[in-house]
Every structure is written in structure tokens, then in C-alpha cells.
Amino acid sequence: MKNAIEIKELTKDYKDIRAVDHLNLEIQDGELFALLGVNGAGKTTTIKMLCCITKPDEGDAFLKGNSICTDSEKVKAIIGVSPQETAVAKNLSVTENLQLICGVHGFDKQTTQEKISQMIEQFNLQSVKNKKASKLSGGWQRRLSIAMALISNPEILFLDEPTLGLDVIARSELWDQIRTLKGKMTIILTTHYMEEAEELSDRIGIMRDGHLLAVGTADALKKMAGKEKFEEAFIAIVKGGAK
Amino acid sequence: MRRMLTFANRTMKEILRDPLTIAFGLGFPLIILLLLSLIQANIPVQMFEIQHLTPGITVFGLSFMTLFSAQLISHDRESSFLTRLYTTPLKAHEFILGYLLPILPLCIVQSIICYIVAMILGLPFSINIVWAILMNLVPSLLFIAIGLLCGSAMNQKQVGGICGALLTNLSAWLSGIWFDISMLGKAIGGFANALPFIHAVELERAVLVGNFSSALSHLLWVAAYAVVMLVVAVFMFLKQMNKQ
């Protein structure tokens, strides 16, 4: 299978702190890859570099063969991003938020209408399509945020902590939405929730202090750490206790 | 162009749909205009004569446009909304124009409404009113640039303090709208004259009475400030964008 993402020696420093340290990773086409780690592990910085928001200090990454350092426009054309915080225009309705993203991607009127209808149906946004984003619950806002990331038909989708702060029902509903996307595109998911990574991902990468400590399926990581539960395996790997 | 216009459209909607825009951007300047006209009706003061007062109020009202634009940009930065848009094909100049351009018509509408109310209060109509409204575009550009600068450099709380309190007070007290600045002494008078606010008010006053030759020096003063402020604001916005 072809690689959708190839990360080579990617490094980022913030003043005295090395947020990401010579990261090497390959993610396959159509894979749902989760990046796990405690706060400050370097997950969000890695995502920001892959999305061309932050420039790396060393190394490079190739998204569908396009360099984040030299082909950022091509990279931006093939990615969709749902940031950590719910990044929606609060005084715009659900439909207007979707229109905005179509507009900044330069879609014509007909394409815009088609894509909006498609997203509204896919994310069951019919009942709230004319509501202002600020009036939506956290779960609906998060759905809208992901719909905004998907409306440009990205080949690679970045979901940064997509269920952070959601109640258990909203989280379960969002998981269902994410499951429907699996295999249709490459998805990079960052999360703090072990069960989320275990439930949704094909493979999981565990980061600490800017380093990638381990990569594999949930079962492989459990086996590697010699633990039955994934959370215990994660703790063992992060604390350096994995055998 | 289409991308920038889409983003500009969003900026305008966000500002217009905020009830504070109507309350402060329009309501507050009009209340001051009405109150001071009422005082003038009972205790005549030359400063509060409608043809003297209205140009100052139109300039003072612009300080709220700074607040609105700075708040929006600052909120977009803090809420990750800008982070999302940075991952789209929108380019730096499209971001900047998308924030700046939609506020200009709002400034014009604000001036038009102020002059309409002033005419109801007794300001005689003349073609100079149209010139005064058009000339207000230059101070508008200055105030919008300050908004872009503050929104790019400060968080929402700081924007509230600097734009909501400091700037509105500076443009209210050091612009000669309601009293003669020379009453404050040489030092403060000199300081006020070095700032652009008093010149923006004098520019509007001169244009309203058709004294265009006197308006020119004030226009140049305000335009110079606007250009410098715009350059600094764009630099700061780009710096923030790259800092991401």
C-alpha cells in the first residue's frame, strides 16, 4: 500500500524547548492513525507542521508526495483540518459556516450547494442548519467543525482532539461519524482518550517529549508492553517500562 | 478575489450580528449627539453647535469600529478559527483585506446616520456633508488599521482594555470634540496635536464648512498616520501568522 504521509527527521524548537525531535513516521493511504501522548508530548506541534501552519526547524514531511516545506499550497489543497478548539464562526449559521469554507476553497455556486447538502445529510445537521454556531451545543459544534474540514473532499483529514470536552453520548455519536469516514481518506487523529484511539484507529503512535516512543496496532502495543489493557500499556510505554 | 470576498462577507456578518455593534457603534455616538444638542439648546456653547459637534461625533464613532475589528481578529486567533483558515488556500493579503475592507462601508454608514440625525437636529443640508462623509474614509482607515494591529498583537481581554477604554478615551478627550484642547495647557495640547485624532476632527469640521484649503494639512497628518499604522498592522498580522 502507498504511503499518504512520510515524515522525515521532523523537528521543531520553541525557544529552549524541543517540541518535536527528529520524528520519522510513515502513514499509509486510507489509514486512521492516532497520535497519543500526554500534554506537551508534541502531538499538536506535529499536526501543525503537517498542516503547514508551523514551519519545521529541521526535516520535512511529504503528504501525497508534496513537501510541507516547499509545496505548502499543494498540501493545503489536499488536507482538511478540524482544530483542537471548536473553530467555527460563531455568528454565522451552520449553512453559512459551510459556505464560508467552500468560498475560501474557491468552489462555484453549484458545487457549493451540492457540497453543503451532502455535509448536512452526512452529519445529520438538517435540524440545526439555520442555527447560529454560537447557539449549538458542544457536540453539534464539533460535528460542524468536522463537516467544515471535510467539505473540501480532503485526501488527508486531521482531527485534533475531536471529542475533547464532549459528554459520553456526543462522543459516541462523533465516533460513529468518524467510523463512516474510515477507508475513504487518510485520517490523523490526536487524542488524550485511550479508548478513543483503541476503538477507532488502525495504528497508534505514542509520543513523549517530542519523540515517537512506539507505533503499532492497539493489540501490538499491549503485547509489546506486556499489559492486558491498552491504558496500562500506554502508561508503561510512556513511563519507559515497556519491555 | 472570490476567496477574499467570501472572507470579507463573513467579517461583516460577524460584526453586524453582534448586538454590541448597534448599541455602541451607532447608539452611543447618537446619544452623545442628542445629549450635547440638548445642553446646547438650554445653555448655548459654541463647541456644542450642531455644525461644530457633528464632525467630531463621526470621528469619535470610528473608535468603536477599531474595537469591533480588534475583538473579532483577537477572537479568531484565540478560538483557533484563524488556525483553521490558515490551512486553506486563503493567502495572507486575502486575510488582511478580508478584515479591513468590510469595515469601511460600516464606517460610512455610521457617518451617514450621524449626519442624518444632525440634520434632523438642525444641521442645514449642503453638498459639503457628502464631502465630509467621503473624507471620513481617511480617519476610518486609520481606526481600522489600529484595530488590525491590536487584534493581531493582543488577546481579547487586552483588546477590551486598550481599544475599549484607552483608545475611545484618547479619541474622546484629546480630539477637541467637546472642549478646546488649549484649555489643558501647552504640554497636553502639544501631545494632542501630535496625535491624529484632533486632526481628524478638524479635517471633518473644515470640510463641512467648505474650507478645503485648511482641511489639507489635517488630511495629510491623518493620512500619514493611517499609512504608518497600516504598515505596522500588516507587519504585526504577518508576524502572528508566521509565529503559528
Side-chain angles (χ1 to χ4, degrees):
Chain A
M1 197 179 253
K2 270 177 72 179
N3 285 330
I5 301 176
E6 287 177 17
I7 300 173
K8 290 179 180 170
E9 300 292 326
L10 205 61
T11 303
K12 182 70 189 176
D13 294 321
Y14 290 114
K15 290 182 181 166
D16 299 335
I17 298 165
R18 177 149 285 189
V20 176
D21 194 359
H22 295 94
L23 182 69
N24 289 291
L25 179 64
E26 289 176 353
I27 298 169
Q28 292 177 345
D29 223 354
E31 191 176 14
L32 197 159
F33 188 90
L35 264 182
L36 269 183
V38 292
N39 286 337
K43 309 184 296 287
T44 298
T45 305
T46 302
I47 297 288
K48 280 187 169 180
M49 286 191 283
L50 295 178
C51 297
C52 306
I53 297 170
T54 300
K55 283 181 185 154
D57 292 313
E58 285 177 50
D60 201 349
F62 300 87
L63 279 69
K64 298 272 180 177
N66 303 301
S67 159
I68 58 167
C69 298
T70 56
D71 298 322
S72 62
E73 281 195 32
K74 284 182 186 166
V75 170
K76 284 179 179 183
I78 58 163
I79 62 169
V81 182
S82 179
Q84 199 172 95
E85 291 143 64
T86 309
V88 297
K90 62 188 172 101
N91 282 327
L92 263 56
S93 71
V94 167
T95 305
E96 287 170 336
N97 266 288
L98 295 170
Q99 269 169 352
L100 169 68
I101 301 299
C102 287
V104 298
H105 276 95
F107 298 153
D108 61 37
K109 224 173 178 179
Q110 197 190 335
T111 313
T112 299
Q113 283 312 317
E114 285 168 8
K115 284 182 178 290
I116 289 173
S117 301
Q118 188 191 338
M119 284 300 123
I120 284 177
E121 195 187 330
Q122 188 176 342
F123 285 86
N124 298 319
L125 293 165
Q126 191 66 36
S127 60
V128 295
K129 68 176 185 180
N130 295 320
K131 255 192 174 183
K132 269 190 192 177
S134 60
K135 305 283 180 199
L136 300 176
S137 68
W140 283 108
Q141 285 195 8
R142 215 52 78 91
R143 257 190 223 200
L144 171 60
S145 183
I146 296 176
M148 288 164 76
L150 277 173
I151 202 161
S152 60
N153 276 348
E155 293 178 46
I156 299 171
L157 175 67
F158 292 93
L159 300 174
D160 197 3
E161 308 269 7
T163 62
L164 188 71
L166 297 187
D167 63 49
V168 72
I169 300 296
R171 180 177 300 168
S172 159
E173 286 174 353
L174 209 52
W175 282 7
D176 289 341
Q177 295 287 349
I178 294 169
R179 276 192 200 99
T180 65
L181 303 173
K182 277 187 79 169
K184 294 177 185 166
M185 62 192 71
T186 308
I187 303 174
I188 316 299
L189 170 91
T190 72
T191 182
H192 271 106
Y193 302 117
M194 305 297 129
E195 70 278 19
E196 187 162 289
E198 192 177 9
E199 184 72 29
L200 297 174
S201 321
D202 297 315
R203 280 194 309 151
I204 298 165
I206 297 177
M207 289 187 78
R208 190 189 69 186
D209 300 331
H211 295 278
L212 191 63
L213 299 177
V215 184
T217 63
D219 287 338
L221 292 172
K222 281 192 279 190
K223 201 173 169 184
M224 183 177 123
K227 304 287 179 186
E228 278 195 12
K229 290 184 177 172
F230 182 68
E231 187 169 337
E232 289 170 355
F234 170 78
I235 292 168
I237 291 167
V238 170
K239 283 187 171 175
K243 305 254 179 333
Chain B
M1 187 69 170
R2 181 203 287 264
R3 291 193 302 235
M4 187 278 285
L5 288 176
T6 304
F7 184 58
N9 184 33
R10 175 263 168 178
T11 301
M12 187 175 274
K13 280 180 181 166
E14 286 274 5
I15 291 177
L16 284 178
R17 288 179 186 176
D18 190 337
L20 285 177
T21 307
I22 306 297
F24 281 92
L26 208 54
F28 197 54
L30 289 182
I31 286 170
I32 294 175
L33 190 64
L34 290 168
L35 273 178
L36 296 182
S37 298
L38 203 64
I39 293 172
Q40 163 69 15
N42 291 300
I43 314 158
V45 184
Q46 194 230 334
M47 213 66 183
F48 295 170
E49 284 172 4
I50 197 76
Q51 67 275 18
H52 205 69
L53 186 63
T54 312
I57 297 292
T58 60
V59 171
F60 174 63
L62 297 176
S63 60
F64 294 102
M65 294 299 164
T66 302
L67 178 63
F68 302 146
S69 60
Q71 271 180 332
L72 180 65
I73 297 165
S74 182
H75 176 270
D76 284 353
R77 280 179 36 234
E78 285 182 23
S79 70
S80 293
F81 186 72
L82 266 184
T83 304
R84 175 194 284 284
L85 293 181
Y86 288 156
T87 66
T88 69
L90 263 182
K91 294 194 169 67
H93 71 275
E94 291 171 323
F95 277 109
I96 292 164
L97 290 175
Y99 277 125
L100 293 180
L101 292 183
I103 304 175
L104 275 175
L106 296 181
C107 294
I108 293 287
V109 169
Q110 188 189 46
S111 293
I112 289 172
I113 293 174
C114 275
Y115 275 106
I116 288 172
V117 172
M119 282 190 281
I120 295 168
L121 292 172
L123 180 72
F125 175 78
S126 81
I127 194 69
N128 290 337
I129 290 179
V130 178
W131 285 118
I133 290 167
L134 287 176
M135 210 54 86
N136 217 15
L137 278 171
V138 182
S140 297
L141 207 58
L142 167 68
F143 279 93
I144 295 169
I146 298 173
L148 179 64
L149 175 62
C150 293
S152 303
M154 298 169 190
N155 61 35
Q156 288 189 78
K157 203 175 164 189
Q158 290 166 329
V159 162
I162 299 292
C163 297
L166 186 64
L167 182 74
T168 46
N169 274 294
L170 273 178
S171 63
W173 302 114
L174 297 182
S175 56
I177 299 173
W178 11 74
F179 59 87
D180 190 346
I181 288 294
S182 61
M183 285 163 59
L184 296 175
K186 259 190 171 178
I188 296 181
F191 177 61
N193 269 302
L195 293 174
F197 310 114
I198 196 165
H199 297 284
V201 172
E202 290 305 323
L203 162 70
E204 285 295 294
R205 281 178 179 155
V207 172
L208 188 62
V209 297
N211 188 354
F212 291 95
S213 56
S214 157
L216 186 64
S217 61
H218 298 298
L219 175 67
L220 291 175
W221 194 266
V222 179
Y225 256 100
V227 168
V228 170
M229 201 54 78
L230 205 56
V231 169
V232 176
V234 168
F235 172 76
M236 186 54 76
F237 185 85
L238 295 176
K239 194 178 166 197
Q240 278 293 339
M241 201 172 169
N242 291 328
K243 207 176 161 187
Q244 284 280 333

